[in-house]
Structure formats: structure tokens, C-alpha cells
Amino acid sequence: MGTLPHAFSLFALILLLTSGTGADQSSKTRAIFKGSTGIGAIVDTSSRIGKEEIVAMEVAKEDFYSFGNLTFLLINDSQKDTIHAALEAMDLIDTRQVQAIIGPRTWEEVPLVAEIARETQVPILSFADTAPEWATERWPSLLQASPDKRAQMKAVAAIVQSWNWHQVIVIYEDTDSSARVVIPHLHDALREVNSEVSQFVAFSPFASSDSMSKALEKIKNKQYCRVFVVHLSFKLAVRLFELAKKMEMMKKDYVWITTDPFTSLVHSINASVISSMQGILGVRSYFPKIGKHFETFNQTFRTRFSRKYPLEEKKEPGIYAVQAYDAMRTIALGLNKTGSKRGGKELLENILDADFRGLSGKVKFKKQKVAAAEIFEIVNVRGTGYNELGYWSNGSGFSENIHENYTYNPSMIDFEQVHWPGGPRYTPRGWTTLTSAKRFRIGVASLSGYEEYVKVESDDRLGTNFSGFSIEVFKATTASMPFFPYEFQYFNGSYKELVKQLHLKNFDAVVGDVEIVASRNPYAEFTYPYTETGLVLIVPVRSSSKAWSFIKPFTATMWVLISVITVYNGFVVWWIERKHCDELQGSIPNQIGIMIWLSFNTLFSLNGPKLHSNLSRMSGVVWLFVALIIIQTYTANLTSMLTVQRLEPTIPTVEELLNSNKMVGYCTGSYMERYLTEVLKFKNQNMQHFQSAESYVKGFEDKKISAAFLGTPFAKIFLAKYCNSFIQIGPPYKIGGFGFAFPRGSPLLASMNEALLNLSEKGKLQELEKTWITPQKCPKMPSDSSSLGPSGFRELFFITACTTTIAFVIYVCRTNLLRHKNIWGIISAVLKRWLSSRRHLTSRRVANVEIPPKAFPEAPVSLA
């Protein structure tokens, strides 16, 4: 907005110089047009946009003549000049006394034209779609008749996201509207889909072919990104693509995406020109090409356009034509409502009330602007024309048709096959090998605490040598990427500062024992981790005390179960034998003591001759068998535990370390310090930083620290070196891991991740780890798991418990039966007496029955 006062001052000077000489002529012309109803227009008559607008407005004048009794339509040429457009506006308002003005189309022309109409409040229907918010407040009669197309930048970003391109180069026209509105929106839209603009290239509207060629050559030689977003005016874009083809930048691996200023005129490109644009993917404004109204307009437009501009090969109307037609209709409706001779503020209010479905879509003003464009068409230049691939809708995504019930997709991969510059069957990677000798600069930290991962050696004769596990993994990964020339450069500084160098573009990647942590994400993106992730606690060990070692072969649960089964077996034997042995009689305390003695005595002998019942012998034999197995197992486990030296940690848990307020060591960056203080709640005064494994050991020896936190990869090396002096406590905390760092949005990241996965699946990663990081075999510390639990003896305990229970049940049932023997005798005698009486009664009944002689003629039987 700071340039506007200068423009107004210049314009005022021009008016001062010209107003006097043209005063008489203006008075005469004003008299001619007085009392007429007319609409003025300011267009670039030499451009394709201007030609389409002129024909469309002439068609509209004929269609809507009766609406507002339109007497004339005056079209003035802006001649692509801001000042000239302002002078034409003054002529239309002051001299021709038009009721409204259509145009101009560029924002650079709008402020001066709107300032002229400010006093008379002649409605200005501008087609500049990038007007700032304050413009309508400053000029109340300024209306934005073209939809705001900033949403198209989201469509461009969605295309980029569909093929996972993470970097683009933006080529734009260096105008106020592009730099102020379009480019910031494009930058933000790309960031939302995790892509970055690697370079902005600005061309002035009057850029020479030589300057454009030099800019393209610089991009070709120094940028590996091959995805271009072009936001240029039509003629400038045509020159760009002609130069790009000559420089072989319209072939395999290149991607060209164009925006509305160029794509909305792709229907007008001649066959000789379009040959240099094969494979371009474009986003353009959408308008429905259906309905009787459009068909009538289309036919009339083509006929009139052919007659008026016979040298133009393509006659098809585009978005600019239908917008001009709708603008004429809007003004005509307003004039019809106010009366043909009235304009100014009243006409402005009626125009703002417009609400109809035009050829370009819905026409309705809100805050002096028509609704923003929400739907864009995706086209692909191919052969002598272009293909309409589908549509992108803001908030919905891609679709092949515009329909309420149609399925939308966030990606356009499912569209018809795109014809790329490299051919229809080849999807560009979006980047390629640099044609210059420049190599990727790979930063390597020279202060690694573990030479197994990174070792930097400098030699005056041989130069700097880089080795280690991280270096070799990177070499093996990039071996499958021949397009990736690189050179290692060491960096003397912290890892945090090294990663920041990516953001500052001092390095193209960072390799080494670099932890993947969230605090580094603003500066870089990481590959998948190529090492184990985690953070572990390391403490010194000490020999464990052998006091009470005799109870450790079994767990507490095992001891309790043995005791219960033993007492249970002793109780059953005592119960069965107590009536057969006088020694088992006596007072209750005496019997309890004998029962307990009998229980544990059975562990070592059966005492068979002293047992009188087979039931007690059965129970005792099974229990003795189980007891022998338990005793032998106990003896073997105890011997093993007393023979092998047992090491135990000086601090058993992290909780005990926290409560003790002892000093803790850590290394490899500030992220670990934050994790220890914010997550694990260690105090800053209880933490000390170390650089290497040797400094850790010295810290332990000097009693400066009692424990240390290391990343899992480092912990493996540390414990391999000092396996008899230190031990890991608890499970690892899942953080970090080592990865390669790249600048945010780097197109190499996806390929590096794919190569890393292939390396891991083929076993190459494991081979490198064995070669460079091979921990020495160290005897593992026996743990509490060496104490045996009841799980291995479950079946034996079940057998002896069941046997004893069965013996006990049999004994109890048999004893109860003997006790009630007399009762059973009485019951038996009663049953016998009853049965005898029944037989006697039956015999008497049979004797009293007369039997006929012929009933048994051959075998008479005596019943006596």
C-alpha cells in the first residue's frame, strides 16, 4: 500500500497536464452522450483475454438490451499500461458519462481507476481476483466481480502431495498482486502437505529471453528439485516453456504445474505453440459447460469471434468470456431495477443485491465481492490439445465428476493416466542428478563419544577419513542411489548445532550417531532409525550376600506349597494310624506335636513297619516319591547358586535412585537432559554431563555419579566393554534412535527410507552391526528367575494331594459303616421277616383257587 501515494501523485500530475488541452473536446463529447444509458469497459484489446471479453460483452449487450435500455457499450483499450487505463476510466466517467465500468483485470490498474470513480460512485466491476481486504473500504464503488482464486493454491499443493513430492520451485511474475497474495498462500498450502519451496524465481513482466534462460540454466545446474509451479501471465508462460524445451527441461524427471493465469487460456493455444508444453499439469477455474443458456451463448460467441478475429485458430470461450458476460448481466439487472437514467449509489446498491445463476456460476456479492472459487479443473496438455482429468473441490478433494453423491479422494492418482513430460507410463520422482560437479555436503559430527559409530581421522597427506557403523550404513544405503553424489565434511560442534546447519543450508544431510528427537524437527526431518531406540539406566554391580542363600532355590510360593502339602499328608497319616498306636494318643498338644513330627519325618523315610493301615502306606509312598524329587531338585539348584558368583546392582530401581538424590550422568545432547528432568523428574543439581564411555567410567571411579543414562546403541557397547562392572536396570525407555537427518521437505528422504528398508530386509544392516558393533560375550547375571516356582511341580503336587485325599475319604467312609453295623443288622432282619410273610400269604391264596380238569390234562401238579 506504500506505493499507492506515489502512483496517485504521478497520476495527478498527468491529469494536470492534460486536463486543460482536452477541456473543450470533453465538453462536446459530454453533450453527445448526455441522457444515454451506457456501460464502459477497460480491457487489453490485444490480448486473448481482452478479445474474449469484448465479444462476450457484445453478445450480452444484445441479450440484455431490453433490461436497462442500454444505448451503448464503450470499450476502451488499456494498452497494458496502468496510467493509460486510468485516463480511459476518466474518459468513460467524465466524458462518456457511463453508468458503470467493467474492468480492469489487473490489480495494478485497479487503484487508479477506483480513485477516479470514488466521487461519482460509478460502480467498477473489477476482474482482479487478488484485491486486498482494505480496497473495498477505501473505494465503496469497487466491486470484485471475479471470484477469489486463492484456494487454487491448495489444489496445487494437493497435486504435489498426491505424488509425495517434498520440494518445489516456484516461478512467478514479479507483480504486486503475486508477491503480496498468491505466493504467501502457495507457500502456506505447501507447508500444510509437508512440502517446501526450495527456491523462488521471479520474472518481471518485461523479462528478456536472455535473463530467463540464465535463470533456468542456474536452476538446472544447481537445484536437484525438478517440480516447478508456474504462476505467470499467459504470454510470459509461453516464452518460459519455449525456452525450457530448448534447454531440455521438458523431458523425463521434470514436473510442470501451472496456475489459473495460464491454464485458463490453454484452450486458446495454437498447435504450433502447444508442442513445447507437452506433459504440463494445470489448474484452472471451473465453470459449468452445460445447459441451454450456455449452448446458445457458445454458438453465438464462436460465430461472432470468428468474424471479429479471423486469425485466431481457437474460437472456444473460456472463463474470462463468461465472467464478462455475467458482469454485463449484473449491471443490466441493476439498471432495469433503478431505471435507465439513474446510476451512482442507487445502481451500486442494486448491483450488490444481485443473486442469480450465471454462466460462470453463482453471482452474489458479499462485502463487495462475489463468492470465492471452490472448484477447480485439472487439465493435462497432450498432443495438439489437452485432457480434462477431473476436478478438485476445496474441503472435499479430487473427483472425476462434479456431483453431490460422487466419491472424492485426497489424491489424484486414481485419475486417468497423466501424460508427463517423460511419457505417460513414467511418474517423475520430482528430482534428478545435478548436471554440475556439485556434490551433496554431508555433515559429520567429529565429537562422537563412540568411535564404533563415528570416527573422524585427519591426515595431512591422505586428508580426512570417515569410518564407523553410521558411516558404513550411509554408504551402503546410498550405494543403491547412483544419482546421489556426496562428500563428507566434519563439523566441530554439538549435535544440536549440526542439525541446525541443515536449516541454514550449510549441509544437505547429517550422518552419525544423531538421535531422533522432537526438538530437532523444526530444523530437519529424519529417516527411519537404523538402530534400536531407547534410553537405559546403567549402574555399578556388587557381589551379592550369601546369607539366607539356602532358601533361594525355591520361591516363596513354592515353600508355602511344600509346607501345606507336607502338613496335610502328616495329618491324614496321623488320623488313620491314631487308633492303632498308643504313641499317637494323649493330650491335644501332644497329638499336634506328634502330627507335625510325623509330617516332616515322612520327607526322609516311609516308616513302613510302624504303619498299620494300607491307606496310610499308600499316601506315604506317593508323598515320599514326590519328596525325593523335590529334595534332589533343591540340592542341585542350591549347589549351582553357591558355585556361580552372583552380581547385583548397587541401585535396584529408578525410583530408589530418585529418592536417594544421588548424582546421575548423561550424554549425547540437551534432549536427554530435558527428558530426565521433565519426564523422569530428576533434579538439575543431581545431573552431570559426560562426553564418552571413558569419562563415564572415571566418573564412577571418582564417586562423582552413582548411575548413568545412555542410549540403547551406546549401552550395548558400554556393557560389552565393562560387563563385569556395570549392569542395566529396568527396561529401556522408548525414545530416540539414530537416523540420518535431511532438510525439511527434502525429496531425498523418501528414497533414503526405501533404501534403508531394503538394506534391513536383505540382512545387510545386521551384517554391518556385527562387523562394527560386536559386543564381547559376557556371562549374564543370574536373576531372581533362577529360584524355582511351583509351575514345574504342579502335576506331582496334584498326584500326592489326590492320593492322600482318596485314602482319607475311604478311611472315613469305612469307619462310619462299622459304627452303624448294628443298625444295618436290624434293618436286614426286618427285611427278611417281611419277605417271609409275603411268601406265606401268596401260598394260601393259590390253594383256594379251583382249577378246571382240562386245564392241565397231561401234567397234574400237586400243590401241597
Side-chain angles (χ1 to χ4, degrees):
M1 189 174 176
T3 60
L4 288 178
H6 300 287
F8 290 147
S9 299
L10 178 61
F11 181 59
L13 178 60
I14 294 174
L15 292 181
L16 181 64
L17 295 175
T18 60
S19 58
T21 58
D24 295 338
Q25 182 65 31
S26 297
S27 299
K28 295 178 182 178
T29 307
R30 191 181 301 115
I32 296 174
F33 287 96
K34 187 174 182 180
S36 302
T37 302
I39 298 175
I42 301 174
V43 301
D44 177 12
T45 58
S46 64
S47 68
R48 172 70 187 212
I49 295 177
K51 293 175 182 178
E52 288 192 15
E53 289 176 337
I54 291 171
V55 173
M57 287 187 290
E58 289 177 350
V59 174
K61 178 179 177 295
E62 294 178 359
D63 290 349
F64 305 118
Y65 173 80
S66 60
F67 277 54
N69 191 24
L70 292 175
T71 306
F72 61 91
L73 169 66
L74 293 176
I75 300 174
N76 289 4
D77 186 8
S78 66
Q79 299 182 15
K80 303 178 185 178
D81 182 74
T82 302
I83 302 301
H84 198 86
L87 292 174
E88 295 300 330
M90 179 178 292
D91 173 69
L92 291 173
I93 294 173
D94 293 343
T95 306
R96 314 292 177 137
Q97 295 186 345
V98 295
Q99 268 67 35
I101 294 178
I102 297 175
R105 182 160 289 279
T106 66
W107 164 248
E108 286 70 24
E109 297 170 345
V110 167
L112 297 181
V113 174
E115 189 68 23
I116 294 171
R118 186 175 185 181
E119 184 177 350
T120 59
Q121 292 193 357
V122 172
I124 306 294
L125 276 69
S126 167
F127 293 133
D129 56 10
T130 55
E133 296 296 330
W134 52 264
T136 53
E137 296 179 4
R138 181 180 180 91
W139 301 294
S141 63
L142 176 62
L143 307 181
Q144 184 174 317
S146 173
D148 190 330
K149 301 184 184 69
R150 283 178 286 190
Q152 73 171 310
M153 298 307 157
K154 292 184 179 180
V156 172
I159 294 174
V160 172
Q161 186 185 28
S162 295
W163 280 276
N164 292 318
W165 296 319
H166 295 286
Q167 280 198 343
V168 301
I169 295 174
V170 176
I171 301 176
Y172 68 98
E173 194 162 348
D174 191 13
T175 60
D176 182 61
S177 57
S178 294
R180 174 178 44 80
V181 179
V182 177
I183 300 307
H185 276 79
L186 176 59
H187 181 267
D188 294 342
L190 289 170
R191 289 293 298 269
E192 289 178 4
V193 298
N194 199 29
S195 295
E196 297 281 346
V197 179
S198 63
Q199 184 179 352
F200 289 101
V201 180
F203 291 135
S204 73
F206 311 103
S208 64
S209 297
D210 184 58
S211 63
M212 294 176 69
S213 297
K214 289 181 179 178
L216 290 176
E217 186 69 30
K218 186 177 181 181
I219 293 172
K220 183 178 179 180
N221 294 335
K222 295 187 177 181
Q223 284 283 351
Y224 51 82
C225 176
R226 290 296 182 258
V227 181
F228 298 88
V229 176
V230 179
H231 185 74
L232 297 174
S233 60
F234 180 75
K235 289 188 176 180
L236 198 59
V238 169
R239 290 172 54 203
L240 174 74
F241 291 126
E242 289 175 348
L243 291 171
K245 184 178 182 180
K246 290 180 181 178
M247 299 173 64
E248 297 185 341
M249 295 177 70
M250 298 294 295
K251 60 179 186 177
K252 182 179 176 181
D253 286 329
Y254 285 85
V255 179
W256 295 90
I257 303 173
T258 59
T259 58
D260 197 67
F262 169 80
T263 317
S264 286
L265 286 173
V266 72
H267 66 280
S268 67
I269 304 177
N270 298 332
S272 59
V273 178
I274 207 169
S275 61
S276 63
M277 306 173 186
Q278 296 299 301
I280 289 176
L281 201 61
V283 179
R284 71 177 183 180
S285 298
Y286 163 77
F287 65 95
K289 301 176 183 179
I290 56 176
K292 185 176 181 180
H293 190 190
F294 176 78
E295 291 177 2
T296 303
F297 167 78
N298 185 33
Q299 184 177 359
T300 306
F301 179 91
R302 287 172 177 269
T303 302
R304 187 180 290 269
F305 193 87
S306 300
R307 190 164 56 246
K308 195 175 187 70
Y309 304 106
L311 296 180
E312 294 283 345
E313 292 184 11
K314 302 296 180 71
K315 321 299 181 183
E316 179 185 350
I319 183 65
Y320 304 113
V322 295
Q323 284 178 352
Y325 183 90
D326 287 344
M328 284 288 292
R329 181 180 178 183
T330 303
I331 298 172
L333 290 173
L335 288 170
N336 185 57
K337 195 173 182 180
T338 60
S340 60
K341 302 299 186 293
R342 305 182 66 179
K345 188 175 183 181
E346 186 175 353
L347 175 60
L348 177 63
E349 292 176 353
N350 291 331
I351 291 175
L352 291 174
D353 290 336
D355 186 0
F356 63 92
R357 176 70 61 178
L359 294 179
S360 62
K362 182 74 171 178
V363 178
K364 184 177 182 180
F365 290 91
K366 183 178 180 181
K367 295 182 179 180
Q368 298 172 234
K369 298 179 181 179
V370 294
E374 299 290 336
I375 303 176
F376 295 89
E377 191 173 15
I378 312 299
V379 299
N380 182 209
V381 177
R382 182 178 182 180
T384 58
Y386 62 93
N387 292 344
E388 297 175 352
L389 300 180
Y391 306 89
W392 180 87
S393 301
N394 191 14
S396 298
F398 294 96
S399 64
E400 293 184 352
N401 287 291
I402 300 298
H403 194 275
E404 290 182 2
N405 300 323
Y406 202 84
T407 302
Y408 289 87
N409 197 308
S411 172
M412 64 170 289
I413 293 180
D414 295 334
F415 276 4
E416 177 186 345
Q417 177 67 54
V418 178
H419 184 91
W420 301 104
R425 301 184 182 276
Y426 177 80
T427 300
R429 290 176 305 197
W431 55 277
T432 189
T433 308
L434 295 176
T435 56
S436 66
K438 179 186 175 183
R439 293 174 174 269
F440 289 98
R441 298 160 300 168
I442 311 300
V444 180
S446 60
L447 300 178
S448 175
Y450 292 85
E451 294 183 348
E452 290 86 351
Y453 280 91
V454 177
K455 185 176 182 180
V456 181
E457 298 175 299
S458 297
D459 186 273
D460 294 337
R461 184 172 58 88
L462 300 176
T464 305
N465 181 54
F466 299 87
S467 61
F469 175 65
S470 298
I471 301 297
E472 295 304 318
V473 170
F474 184 80
K475 289 180 179 179
T477 303
T478 55
S480 61
M481 303 166 62
F483 47 80
F484 187 60
Y486 64 88
E487 61 181 9
F488 291 118
Q489 297 179 5
Y490 69 86
F491 178 80
N492 290 322
S494 66
Y495 287 91
K496 182 179 180 181
E497 292 299 323
L498 175 58
V499 173
K500 279 187 176 180
Q501 301 305 308
L502 294 172
H503 184 67
L504 299 174
K505 301 187 182 302
N506 292 328
F507 290 115
D508 299 304
V510 167
V511 173
D513 46 344
V514 182
E515 291 276 1
I516 303 173
V517 289
S519 60
R520 294 171 180 169
N521 280 342
Y523 312 110
E525 288 184 294
F526 292 88
T527 62
Y528 299 138
Y530 59 86
T531 63
E532 295 181 52
T533 62
L535 182 68
V536 298
L537 176 61
I538 305 296
V539 298
V541 296
R542 63 187 176 193
S543 298
S544 61
S545 173
K546 294 186 179 181
W548 297 96
S549 296
F550 64 90
I551 68 171
K552 293 185 178 180
F554 291 149
T555 62
T557 304
M558 183 68 175
W559 283 118
V560 171
L561 192 56
I562 291 174
S563 301
V564 171
I565 294 294
T566 300
V567 173
Y568 176 61
N569 278 278
F571 167 75
V572 172
V573 172
W574 169 79
W575 186 270
I576 296 173
E577 297 290 332
R578 64 192 178 90
K579 290 187 177 181
H580 303 284
C581 184
D582 295 336
E583 296 178 359
L584 302 180
Q585 305 294 326
S587 62
I588 292 178
N590 182 57
Q591 292 187 56
I592 292 174
I594 292 173
M595 183 190 68
I596 295 175
W597 171 83
L598 186 62
S599 300
F600 290 95
N601 185 51
T602 313
L603 286 169
F604 306 102
S605 66
L606 181 59
N607 292 318
K610 296 182 180 182
L611 300 178
H612 298 82
S613 173
N614 288 331
L615 294 175
S616 58
R617 291 191 185 100
M618 179 181 70
S619 176
V621 166
V622 175
W623 173 235
L624 181 60
F625 172 73
V626 174
L628 288 174
I629 295 176
I630 292 175
I631 291 171
Q632 293 301 320
T633 305
Y634 170 84
T635 303
N637 201 21
L638 179 62
T639 302
S640 175
M641 296 179 70
L642 294 177
T643 302
V644 179
Q645 183 184 15
R646 179 186 174 91
L647 301 176
E648 64 180 16
T650 55
I651 301 173
T653 63
V654 176
E655 290 74 18
E656 186 171 326
L657 179 62
L658 276 168
N659 296 332
S660 65
N661 285 327
K662 293 181 178 180
M663 293 296 295
V664 177
Y666 70 94
C667 69
T668 68
S670 58
Y671 82 93
M672 189 177 291
E673 180 181 0
R674 287 196 301 273
Y675 187 84
L676 294 179
T677 55
E678 296 175 5
V679 180
L680 300 184
K681 307 303 180 183
F682 281 92
K683 299 177 182 177
N684 286 320
Q685 59 267 28
N686 294 338
M687 294 162 49
Q688 186 171 349
H689 182 266
F690 291 90
Q691 292 289 345
S692 64
E694 288 69 22
S695 59
Y696 266 129
V697 175
K698 185 170 178 57
F700 280 115
E701 291 175 349
D702 296 341
K703 306 297 182 183
K704 292 182 179 179
I705 56 174
S706 300
F709 281 94
L710 287 83
T712 301
F714 291 151
K716 291 170 64 176
I717 299 176
F718 186 86
L719 293 176
K721 288 182 178 179
Y722 307 102
C723 59
N724 295 320
S725 302
F726 300 94
I727 193 173
Q728 174 183 333
I729 297 300
Y733 296 94
K734 293 295 182 182
I735 63 169
F738 293 162
F740 304 130
F742 287 84
R744 290 194 61 83
S746 172
L748 299 173
L749 188 63
S751 297
M752 284 294 294
N753 279 329
E754 182 180 355
L756 264 177
L757 289 176
N758 291 332
L759 201 68
S760 178
E761 291 174 359
K762 293 178 181 178
K764 184 66 175 177
L765 199 60
Q766 290 73 15
E767 292 178 10
L768 290 173
E769 187 171 357
K770 289 179 182 179
T771 302
W772 290 91
I773 308 172
T774 305
Q776 303 171 4
K777 297 214 171 175
C778 187
K780 293 184 179 180
M781 180 190 73
S783 61
D784 290 340
S785 61
S786 60
S787 297
L788 301 177
S791 59
F793 303 89
R794 185 181 295 110
E795 291 76 10
L796 293 176
F797 284 136
F798 178 76
I799 292 171
T800 185
C802 287
T803 304
T804 303
T805 302
I806 292 171
F808 181 69
V809 171
I810 293 174
Y811 174 77
V812 171
C813 292
R814 189 174 65 183
T815 302
N816 290 337
L817 288 174
L818 290 174
R819 182 176 298 174
H820 299 291
K821 184 177 182 180
N822 292 335
I823 297 175
W824 284 109
I826 295 171
I827 295 173
S828 179
V830 171
L831 288 174
K832 288 180 180 179
R833 181 73 174 173
W834 180 74
L835 290 173
S836 177
S837 63
R838 293 291 294 174
R839 284 197 297 268
H840 180 68
L841 180 60
T842 305
S843 298
R844 289 182 62 187
R845 289 178 177 173
V846 172
N848 294 329
V849 175
E850 290 186 5
I851 302 176
K854 293 182 181 180
F856 304 99
E858 296 179 358
V861 179
S862 177
L863 296 178

